[in-house]
Amino acid sequence: MTERHGSRVHVGRLAEITPPEWLTPPDWLVALVKPKTAAIPWPAAARAAVALGLPLAICWAVDRLPLGLFIAMGAMSGAVGDRRGPYRVRALQIGLSAFFGALGLLIGGAVFGHGVLAFFVLCAVALFTAIASVAGTIASTASLQALIFTIVASSRAFPPPAWQPPVLYLAGGLWAMGLTLLGTFRDSVSAERRAVATAITALADLADAIGTEEVDQVEAKRRAVTDALNAAYDALLAGRVRSGGRHPAFRRFMGLLNACTPLMEQTVAAMRAGRRPPEHVAPALREVANALLTRTAVPELPDWGARPPATDSESGAVEYPHPTVRERIRGSIDQVLSGPATWTFALRLTICIGAAELLRQIVPTGRSYWMVLTVAIVLKADFGSVFARAVQRAGGTLVGAAIGAGLLAWVPRGIGDVIAIAVLAALLPIAIVRQYGMFSTFITPLVILLIDLLSPNRWETLDDRLIDTAIGCGVVLVFGYLLWPETFRSRIGPRFVDAVEDLADYTNAALHPDGTDRGALRRSTYRRLSDLRTVFQQALAEPPPVSRRASAWWPGIVALERLTDAVTRAAIRLDHGAPPPPEDGVAALADGISDLAGALAERRPPRDLTLPDDPMLEDIATELRTARKVMTGPAS
C-alpha cells in the first residue's frame, strides 16, 4: 500500500474498482476477438517458409520471378491446408487441393472475358463446392481451391501460354506435398501409434490431476481425454482406409485403445466421487505410452479392474470390410440427399457468389475479383461461424493492409519480396490455429506481395484489397447471413437432442447389458458432448440474440455431462461386482432420458416420471432430475 500527502491512495483498492457496465464488452464480442491458445507448430512454419520462399528465390535467380507466383500459390495452398494426421491422409488432402486448384485455373481461364458465361460457371462451381463440403474435410478443402482459382482465373488475364499457370500451380502443390512427406523420415512413429500414445498420456494426466488440482483444471483434462480418444479412434479409422481393418498393427492399437475404456470410466467415476485413483495408475499409463513411442514391448495396462491389452486374436477390433467404389458413391449421395441443410447452404453460397460476381463486373476496382474471393472463403459454414469469419476477415485485412503498406514502401523489390513472403508464409500456420482474423492479418500482405510480382501496381493493389474485402464481407453479411431466418436460430438444440438420445442408448447398455458394445456407445456419447461444446463456443461468438440464446444452454450442457458421468459411475460399480439394478428402474431412467430428448425436440415440458429409488441408481436419478429442470428452459 502507498500513501500520498493530501490524499490517501490505496493501491490495493485499485483492483476493486470496476469499469462502468457500458465500458464492459459483451461476452459475444470477447469470444469473437479472443484468440485461442495453441502450441507453435514450428515444423509447419518452416515448411511453409521453404515451400514459398525457395521456388521464388530460384525464379529470382534466373530472372523469372513472375513465374514463381503460380508455384508459390500452389505451395501456399498445400502448406496452409496441411493438417496433422496420418501422412497418407495429409498427402491426399494436399494432392487433391493442388489438382482441384489447377483445375480451377483451367476452368477460369477458359471463361475469362465472357461475362455471362463466367457468371453461370462461377455459380455452378460454387454449387459443386457447397455439395462437396458434406463429403468430409478433404473434399471441402479441395473443392474450395477449385472455386477460389476459378474466380481468380476468370477475372484477370495471365501471361501465355494458357497451360502454364495451372501446371506451375500443380507443381507448387506437389512441392508442398513432398516437403510434408519428408516428415516420414524425421518422425518414424506413425500417426496412429502417436495418437494412441497421446490418448493414454492424457488419461494419465487426468489421473494425476484428480485431488491435486482445481476443479476447473480437472474438468479441462477430462475433456482433453475425450478429445484425445476421439482423435485416436479417428486416426485408426483413417488407417482403415488403407488396410481395411486387417493390418496387425491396426488391430493391436484398436485393442489397446478399447482396453483403455474401462480405465477411462473408472477414472471419471473417481473424479466425480472425489477420490484419488490408485497411485500406480498414472505412472503405469505413462510407461505404456512411452513404450508405444519408443517401439519397445508394451507393458500391461494398470490393474484397476481393467482388462490387460488384448492380443491380436482377442483385441475386440472389428474386421471392417473395405468399401467398394459403388458403396462409397452411394454413401456420398446419401450424405448429399440426407436433409435440407446441404441444399440451403448450397443456395446461400450460390446466391452470394452470384451477387458478388455481378458487383465485380459493376464496381470499377483494379482487383475486383477479391470481393468474390472473400465471399467464397468467408461463407464456408463448415469452417466455423460465418459472422465471426466475416468480421475477423475484415478486421484482419485492415491490419494486414497496414503491414502491406509498410512492406511495399520499405522492402526492395526482388529478393526483398522473396524474404518477406517467406517470413509471412511461416506465420500462416502459427496464426491459423489461433484465430481466422490473425490468419487474415498475415495472408493479406502475403497476397499483396505475390500479386505485385506479376503486376507491380504497389499502392493500387493495397487500396483495391481493402475496398473489395469490405464489399465481399458486406455481401456475406447481407445475402448469406442476415436475410436467412435460420441465422437467428441456435444450432445447439439439434446437437443437444442427439447427445441426449445417445445417452439414453448408453444408459440401457451400461446398466442392462445385453451384448451391446457399451464402449462404443460411451465413446459416441462423449463425442457428442465434445461436438456440442464446440458448437456452443462458436455460437457465443455470434451477436445477440444468437449468443444470448446460446449462453442459456450452458447449464444444460453441464447437467448433461454430469448425468453421463453418473451413468459411467454406475457401470463401473457393476463391473466391480455390485448387484445389478432392477430392470424396471433402468427402463424408467432410459425412458426419462429419451423423454427429455423428445421434450427438447418438440418444445414441450417433460412428462411426469416416477424415477427409481434403488441405491444403485440414486445418483443417476438425482442428476436426471436436475437435468430435467435446467434443460427445458433454453429456446432452440
mmCIF file with all atom_site columns, all heavy atoms in Angstrom, residues 198-212:
data_model
loop_
_atom_site.group_PDB
_atom_site.id
_atom_site.type_symbol
_atom_site.label_atom_id
_atom_site.label_alt_id
_atom_site.label_comp_id
_atom_site.label_asym_id
_atom_site.label_entity_id
_atom_site.label_seq_id
_atom_site.pdbx_PDB_ins_code
_atom_site.Cartn_x
_atom_site.Cartn_y
_atom_site.Cartn_z
_atom_site.occupancy
_atom_site.B_iso_or_equiv
_atom_site.pdbx_formal_charge
_atom_site.auth_seq_id
_atom_site.auth_comp_id
_atom_site.auth_asym_id
_atom_site.auth_atom_id
_atom_site.pdbx_PDB_model_num
ATOM 1  N N   . THR A 1 198 ? -0.861 -40.558 -27.231 1.00 0.00 ? 198 THR A N   1
ATOM 2  C CA  . THR A 1 198 ? -1.347 -39.274 -26.717 1.00 0.00 ? 198 THR A CA  1
ATOM 3  C C   . THR A 1 198 ? -2.599 -39.457 -25.875 1.00 0.00 ? 198 THR A C   1
ATOM 4  O O   . THR A 1 198 ? -2.763 -38.824 -24.824 1.00 0.00 ? 198 THR A O   1
ATOM 5  C CB  . THR A 1 198 ? -1.640 -38.321 -27.883 1.00 0.00 ? 198 THR A CB  1
ATOM 6  O OG1 . THR A 1 198 ? -0.432 -38.106 -28.625 1.00 0.00 ? 198 THR A OG1 1
ATOM 7  C CG2 . THR A 1 198 ? -2.168 -36.986 -27.389 1.00 0.00 ? 198 THR A CG2 1
ATOM 8  N N   . ALA A 1 199 ? -3.502 -40.330 -26.317 1.00 0.00 ? 199 ALA A N   1
ATOM 9  C CA  . ALA A 1 199 ? -4.723 -40.582 -25.550 1.00 0.00 ? 199 ALA A CA  1
ATOM 10 C C   . ALA A 1 199 ? -4.400 -41.199 -24.198 1.00 0.00 ? 199 ALA A C   1
ATOM 11 O O   . ALA A 1 199 ? -4.987 -40.821 -23.162 1.00 0.00 ? 199 ALA A O   1
ATOM 12 C CB  . ALA A 1 199 ? -5.661 -41.487 -26.347 1.00 0.00 ? 199 ALA A CB  1
ATOM 13 N N   . ILE A 1 200 ? -3.463 -42.144 -24.163 1.00 0.00 ? 200 ILE A N   1
ATOM 14 C CA  . ILE A 1 200 ? -3.096 -42.788 -22.904 1.00 0.00 ? 200 ILE A CA  1
ATOM 15 C C   . ILE A 1 200 ? -2.402 -41.794 -21.977 1.00 0.00 ? 200 ILE A C   1
ATOM 16 O O   . ILE A 1 200 ? -2.631 -41.775 -20.760 1.00 0.00 ? 200 ILE A O   1
ATOM 17 C CB  . ILE A 1 200 ? -2.210 -44.013 -23.182 1.00 0.00 ? 200 ILE A CB  1
ATOM 18 C CG1 . ILE A 1 200 ? -3.017 -45.075 -23.951 1.00 0.00 ? 200 ILE A CG1 1
ATOM 19 C CG2 . ILE A 1 200 ? -1.663 -44.597 -21.890 1.00 0.00 ? 200 ILE A CG2 1
ATOM 20 C CD1 . ILE A 1 200 ? -2.202 -46.262 -24.393 1.00 0.00 ? 200 ILE A CD1 1
ATOM 21 N N   . THR A 1 201 ? -1.565 -40.915 -22.547 1.00 0.00 ? 201 THR A N   1
ATOM 22 C CA  . THR A 1 201 ? -0.905 -39.885 -21.737 1.00 0.00 ? 201 THR A CA  1
ATOM 23 C C   . THR A 1 201 ? -1.922 -38.909 -21.159 1.00 0.00 ? 201 THR A C   1
ATOM 24 O O   . THR A 1 201 ? -1.807 -38.480 -20.006 1.00 0.00 ? 201 THR A O   1
ATOM 25 C CB  . THR A 1 201 ? 0.126  -39.129 -22.581 1.00 0.00 ? 201 THR A CB  1
ATOM 26 O OG1 . THR A 1 201 ? 1.094  -40.052 -23.097 1.00 0.00 ? 201 THR A OG1 1
ATOM 27 C CG2 . THR A 1 201 ? 0.842  -38.076 -21.757 1.00 0.00 ? 201 THR A CG2 1
ATOM 28 N N   . ALA A 1 202 ? -2.923 -38.542 -21.959 1.00 0.00 ? 202 ALA A N   1
ATOM 29 C CA  . ALA A 1 202 ? -3.969 -37.637 -21.454 1.00 0.00 ? 202 ALA A CA  1
ATOM 30 C C   . ALA A 1 202 ? -4.722 -38.272 -20.297 1.00 0.00 ? 202 ALA A C   1
ATOM 31 O O   . ALA A 1 202 ? -5.084 -37.593 -19.323 1.00 0.00 ? 202 ALA A O   1
ATOM 32 C CB  . ALA A 1 202 ? -4.927 -37.278 -22.588 1.00 0.00 ? 202 ALA A CB  1
ATOM 33 N N   . LEU A 1 203 ? -4.956 -39.580 -20.381 1.00 0.00 ? 203 LEU A N   1
ATOM 34 C CA  . LEU A 1 203 ? -5.626 -40.284 -19.286 1.00 0.00 ? 203 LEU A CA  1
ATOM 35 C C   . LEU A 1 203 ? -4.748 -40.283 -18.031 1.00 0.00 ? 203 LEU A C   1
ATOM 36 O O   . LEU A 1 203 ? -5.246 -40.112 -16.907 1.00 0.00 ? 203 LEU A O   1
ATOM 37 C CB  . LEU A 1 203 ? -5.948 -41.714 -19.712 1.00 0.00 ? 203 LEU A CB  1
ATOM 38 C CG  . LEU A 1 203 ? -6.748 -42.575 -18.741 1.00 0.00 ? 203 LEU A CG  1
ATOM 39 C CD1 . LEU A 1 203 ? -8.052 -41.896 -18.343 1.00 0.00 ? 203 LEU A CD1 1
ATOM 40 C CD2 . LEU A 1 203 ? -7.032 -43.944 -19.354 1.00 0.00 ? 203 LEU A CD2 1
ATOM 41 N N   . ALA A 1 204 ? -3.435 -40.432 -18.213 1.00 0.00 ? 204 ALA A N   1
ATOM 42 C CA  . ALA A 1 204 ? -2.511 -40.365 -17.075 1.00 0.00 ? 204 ALA A CA  1
ATOM 43 C C   . ALA A 1 204 ? -2.516 -38.971 -16.456 1.00 0.00 ? 204 ALA A C   1
ATOM 44 O O   . ALA A 1 204 ? -2.482 -38.825 -15.223 1.00 0.00 ? 204 ALA A O   1
ATOM 45 C CB  . ALA A 1 204 ? -1.102 -40.740 -17.533 1.00 0.00 ? 204 ALA A CB  1
ATOM 46 N N   . ASP A 1 205 ? -2.566 -37.930 -17.283 1.00 0.00 ? 205 ASP A N   1
ATOM 47 C CA  . ASP A 1 205 ? -2.621 -36.562 -16.758 1.00 0.00 ? 205 ASP A CA  1
ATOM 48 C C   . ASP A 1 205 ? -3.886 -36.340 -15.935 1.00 0.00 ? 205 ASP A C   1
ATOM 49 O O   . ASP A 1 205 ? -3.851 -35.670 -14.893 1.00 0.00 ? 205 ASP A O   1
ATOM 50 C CB  . ASP A 1 205 ? -2.575 -35.556 -17.911 1.00 0.00 ? 205 ASP A CB  1
ATOM 51 C CG  . ASP A 1 205 ? -1.232 -35.558 -18.622 1.00 0.00 ? 205 ASP A CG  1
ATOM 52 O OD1 . ASP A 1 205 ? -0.250 -36.026 -18.027 1.00 0.00 ? 205 ASP A OD1 1
ATOM 53 O OD2 . ASP A 1 205 ? -1.179 -35.080 -19.780 1.00 0.00 ? 205 ASP A OD2 1
ATOM 54 N N   . LEU A 1 206 ? -5.000 -36.896 -16.395 1.00 0.00 ? 206 LEU A N   1
ATOM 55 C CA  . LEU A 1 206 ? -6.244 -36.770 -15.641 1.00 0.00 ? 206 LEU A CA  1
ATOM 56 C C   . LEU A 1 206 ? -6.137 -37.480 -14.296 1.00 0.00 ? 206 LEU A C   1
ATOM 57 O O   . LEU A 1 206 ? -6.556 -36.943 -13.264 1.00 0.00 ? 206 LEU A O   1
ATOM 58 C CB  . LEU A 1 206 ? -7.408 -37.330 -16.456 1.00 0.00 ? 206 LEU A CB  1
ATOM 59 C CG  . LEU A 1 206 ? -8.771 -37.399 -15.735 1.00 0.00 ? 206 LEU A CG  1
ATOM 60 C CD1 . LEU A 1 206 ? -9.227 -36.005 -15.322 1.00 0.00 ? 206 LEU A CD1 1
ATOM 61 C CD2 . LEU A 1 206 ? -9.810 -38.073 -16.621 1.00 0.00 ? 206 LEU A CD2 1
ATOM 62 N N   . ALA A 1 207 ? -5.589 -38.685 -14.299 1.00 0.00 ? 207 ALA A N   1
ATOM 63 C CA  . ALA A 1 207 ? -5.445 -39.434 -13.045 1.00 0.00 ? 207 ALA A CA  1
ATOM 64 C C   . ALA A 1 207 ? -4.563 -38.680 -12.058 1.00 0.00 ? 207 ALA A C   1
ATOM 65 O O   . ALA A 1 207 ? -4.844 -38.664 -10.852 1.00 0.00 ? 207 ALA A O   1
ATOM 66 C CB  . ALA A 1 207 ? -4.870 -40.821 -13.333 1.00 0.00 ? 207 ALA A CB  1
ATOM 67 N N   . ASP A 1 208 ? -3.500 -38.033 -12.551 1.00 0.00 ? 208 ASP A N   1
ATOM 68 C CA  . ASP A 1 208 ? -2.629 -37.255 -11.673 1.00 0.00 ? 208 ASP A CA  1
ATOM 69 C C   . ASP A 1 208 ? -3.321 -36.013 -11.119 1.00 0.00 ? 208 ASP A C   1
ATOM 70 O O   . ASP A 1 208 ? -3.051 -35.586 -9.992  1.00 0.00 ? 208 ASP A O   1
ATOM 71 C CB  . ASP A 1 208 ? -1.370 -36.815 -12.435 1.00 0.00 ? 208 ASP A CB  1
ATOM 72 C CG  . ASP A 1 208 ? -0.247 -37.834 -12.304 1.00 0.00 ? 208 ASP A CG  1
ATOM 73 O OD1 . ASP A 1 208 ? -0.305 -38.659 -11.367 1.00 0.00 ? 208 ASP A OD1 1
ATOM 74 O OD2 . ASP A 1 208 ? 0.676  -37.818 -13.135 1.00 0.00 ? 208 ASP A OD2 1
ATOM 75 N N   . ALA A 1 209 ? -4.216 -35.420 -11.927 1.00 0.00 ? 209 ALA A N   1
ATOM 76 C CA  . ALA A 1 209 ? -4.830 -34.148 -11.541 1.00 0.00 ? 209 ALA A CA  1
ATOM 77 C C   . ALA A 1 209 ? -5.912 -34.304 -10.492 1.00 0.00 ? 209 ALA A C   1
ATOM 78 O O   . ALA A 1 209 ? -6.179 -33.366 -9.727  1.00 0.00 ? 209 ALA A O   1
ATOM 79 C CB  . ALA A 1 209 ? -5.413 -33.463 -12.781 1.00 0.00 ? 209 ALA A CB  1
ATOM 80 N N   . ILE A 1 210 ? -6.557 -35.465 -10.439 1.00 0.00 ? 210 ILE A N   1
ATOM 81 C CA  . ILE A 1 210 ? -7.679 -35.660 -9.514  1.00 0.00 ? 210 ILE A CA  1
ATOM 82 C C   . ILE A 1 210 ? -7.175 -35.560 -8.070  1.00 0.00 ? 210 ILE A C   1
ATOM 83 O O   . ILE A 1 210 ? -6.261 -36.274 -7.661  1.00 0.00 ? 210 ILE A O   1
ATOM 84 C CB  . ILE A 1 210 ? -8.344 -37.033 -9.748  1.00 0.00 ? 210 ILE A CB  1
ATOM 85 C CG1 . ILE A 1 210 ? -8.966 -37.074 -11.144 1.00 0.00 ? 210 ILE A CG1 1
ATOM 86 C CG2 . ILE A 1 210 ? -9.404 -37.306 -8.694  1.00 0.00 ? 210 ILE A CG2 1
ATOM 87 C CD1 . ILE A 1 210 ? -9.501 -38.429 -11.528 1.00 0.00 ? 210 ILE A CD1 1
ATOM 88 N N   . GLY A 1 211 ? -7.762 -34.642 -7.327  1.00 0.00 ? 211 GLY A N   1
ATOM 89 C CA  . GLY A 1 211 ? -7.401 -34.463 -5.931  1.00 0.00 ? 211 GLY A CA  1
ATOM 90 C C   . GLY A 1 211 ? -6.214 -33.564 -5.706  1.00 0.00 ? 211 GLY A C   1
ATOM 91 O O   . GLY A 1 211 ? -5.900 -33.242 -4.550  1.00 0.00 ? 211 GLY A O   1
ATOM 92 N N   . THR A 1 212 ? -5.538 -33.119 -6.756  1.00 0.00 ? 212 THR A N   1
ATOM 93 C CA  . THR A 1 212 ? -4.359 -32.262 -6.594  1.00 0.00 ? 212 THR A CA  1
ATOM 94 C C   . THR A 1 212 ? -4.513 -30.916 -7.303  1.00 0.00 ? 212 THR A C   1
ATOM 95 O O   . THR A 1 212 ? -3.753 -29.999 -7.023  1.00 0.00 ? 212 THR A O   1
ATOM 96 C CB  . THR A 1 212 ? -3.097 -32.965 -7.138  1.00 0.00 ? 212 THR A CB  1
ATOM 97 O OG1 . THR A 1 212 ? -3.252 -33.217 -8.535  1.00 0.00 ? 212 THR A OG1 1
ATOM 98 C CG2 . THR A 1 212 ? -2.867 -34.276 -6.408  1.00 0.00 ? 212 THR A CG2 1
#
